[in-house]
Structure formats: structure tokens, C-alpha cells
Amino acid sequence: MKGAVEKIVKALVGNADAVEVSEHSDGKNVKITVRVAPDDYGRVIGREGRTIKAIRSVLFVAGQKHGKRFHLDLIED
């Protein structure tokens, strides 16, 4: 899933080199953290949070298929 999220986020942002995605798992729960350049936060979040909600929806469906629960966090520095 880390690769899929990284590919989606890199397609959205202007500075794809600054994208960092990490994945931490403890059994059924998987936490995916995403860091982007400060100028790209708005692009990842989207208007009224629609873009990040859509990414989280994709992760939810994938989690249902694999029997896991994915959490997506956008980290601000």
C-alpha cells in the first residue's frame, strides 16, 4: 500500500522529490504517514478535504480486501 499511496501523492504535488511516505504496522493496523513540501499541503488535502478523503477511501477498500485497517496521516513540519 505504501507504493500505491506514494504514486498517488507524487502525481498530485508539484514537487514530487519532496514526498516521503512511511508505513508502520502492528498486526491489523497499518499507519501510513506522508510528508510533502509546505507548498503542496493544499493540493494533497484538496478543496474541503475531498482529495485526502478519496485517498483514505481507497485505503479503506483495500483494507477490507486484505483484512487490515489503514490510517493515513499527513505530517506538517
Side-chain angles (χ1 to χ4, degrees):
M1 278 286 94
K2 175 186 171 186
V5 171
E6 188 171 1
K7 196 170 193 174
I8 291 169
V9 172
K10 281 187 175 185
L12 291 172
V13 299
N15 186 3
D17 295 333
V19 174
E20 295 178 23
V21 179
S22 62
E23 182 177 83
H24 304 285
S25 177
D26 62 348
K28 285 192 168 196
N29 294 319
V30 180
K31 184 176 183 180
I32 299 173
T33 57
V34 177
R35 293 179 196 267
V36 296
D39 298 339
D40 292 326
Y41 287 122
R43 290 183 179 170
V44 175
I45 294 171
R47 208 172 264 187
E48 296 183 10
R50 289 183 190 152
T51 305
I52 198 148
K53 280 182 190 176
I55 297 170
R56 287 179 175 148
S57 295
V58 169
L59 287 174
F60 177 77
V61 172
Q64 294 292 317
K65 191 172 186 178
H66 295 290
K68 294 185 178 185
R69 173 167 270 163
F70 293 100
H71 300 279
L72 179 67
D73 289 334
L74 181 62
I75 305 297
E76 291 184 55
D77 290 332

